[in-house]
Amino acid sequence: LDTGALHADPHAGNLLRASNGQLVILDWGLVTRISPSLRSSLMTYISHVLARDFDAIAGDLVALGFIPEEKKGVIEEDEVVQGISDIFRELASGGAVQRRISDALPVLTKIR
């Protein structure tokens, strides 16, 4: 992200580490350039995930463009924030996320 390039499929078959420590990209198919503001939003999102600050993720999804700006008021409602938080908590714990997404769908339909 430092350079403004994002690889959407980073795995050992697509990337190598050269003997001098540089990253070598073997497959450029899922690489895109991202703006400084999107980089910042993505880093904020990642830091919230790593810090397990799941309540902040709803706002991150707006900043990243996954949820339209005009729906921002809806996702600030406690039940929607809680629904999104529950999904991310379940993902982080390695639990049955399929069940949690089903449980959260009624709340998340408000975003549409």
Side-chain angles (χ1 to χ4, degrees):
L1 289 174
D2 287 343
T3 64
L6 174 69
H7 198 299
D9 191 20
H11 60 78
N14 287 341
L15 306 170
L16 288 177
R17 183 174 170 219
S19 58
N20 65 359
Q22 288 187 316
L23 179 66
V24 178
I25 299 176
L26 302 173
D27 181 350
W28 287 85
L30 292 174
V31 176
T32 189
R33 304 288 299 162
I34 59 175
S35 69
S37 65
L38 184 55
R39 270 189 280 178
S40 176
S41 295
L42 189 54
M43 293 302 292
T44 300
Y45 164 74
I46 291 168
S47 64
H48 287 147
V49 170
L50 292 175
R52 296 179 177 256
D53 184 3
F54 303 121
D55 292 343
I57 290 175
D60 295 339
L61 296 176
V62 173
L64 288 166
F66 289 108
I67 297 173
E69 187 69 35
E70 61 269 12
K71 296 290 185 173
K72 187 175 182 176
V74 173
I75 71 152
E76 290 173 348
E77 293 177 14
D78 288 340
E79 67 178 334
V80 176
V81 170
Q82 191 60 51
I84 293 170
S85 296
D86 288 349
I87 290 169
F88 276 85
R89 274 190 189 79
E90 200 69 38
L91 284 168
S93 71
V97 75
Q98 197 73 319
R99 187 191 81 239
R100 295 302 309 150
I101 290 175
S102 300
D103 295 345
L105 280 177
V107 172
L108 298 180
T109 57
K110 289 181 156 191
I111 298 171
R112 289 192 338 172

